[in-house]
Amino acid sequence: QVQLVESGGGLVQAGGSLRLSCAASGRTFSSYAMGWFRQAPGKEREFVATISTSGGTTYYADSVKGRFTISRDNAKNTVYLKMNNLKPEDTAVYICAAGSLLGIFFSRPARLDYWGQGTQVTVSS
């Protein structure tokens, strides 16, 4: 069993930056691909970024490519999402997830193994 707890959300002005963290419990963190999704009010959940078990492979949604960076520290059981040049349309609840295969994050997210509760990010214009 893996529990995921996100932190680092908040209110920021457009153009600003935030770094989200997702801390995982359990000793099997390094065996899971990790990723971030987001859900804005009235909208469906959307894929943001994912990272392989070693951290050597990453994928991003086109809407965040070049502005967001996903990384992980397996020694700390934590995955991060650094968000730069934030825009009002980035406002959403950001949710961390863990899965056995990298491709599931953008092909079949419903099959991911674990989900966090989310952290709110609000970008003001």
Side-chain angles (χ1 to χ4, degrees), residues 53-71:
T53 54
S54 67
T57 301
T58 57
Y59 293 102
Y60 298 92
D62 288 342
S63 58
V64 307
K65 202 172 293 183
R67 298 188 299 122
F68 290 11
T69 302
I70 188 170
S71 61

Side-chain angles (χ1 to χ4, degrees), residues 1 5 7 26 50 59 62-63 72-73 80 86 101 123:
Q1 188 77 7
V5 179
S7 62
T50 187
Y59 293 102
D62 288 342
S63 58
R72 66 189 295 163
D73 185 336
Y80 304 98
L86 283 160
L101 296 173
V123 185

Side-chain angles (χ1 to χ4, degrees), residues 12 18 21 24 28 40 42 47 52 58 61 65 74 76 80-81 84-85 97 110 118:
V12 64
L18 282 174
S21 300
T28 59
F47 166 76
S52 62
T58 57
K65 202 172 293 183
N74 286 341
K76 295 183 177 180
Y80 304 98
L81 186 68
N84 295 326
N85 190 23

Side-chain angles (χ1 to χ4, degrees), residues 1-4 23-30 32 74-77:
Q1 188 77 7
V2 175
Q3 289 186 323
L4 304 175
S25 65
R27 295 177 290 177
T28 59
F29 174 78
S30 61
Y32 288 96
N74 286 341
K76 295 183 177 180
N77 281 11

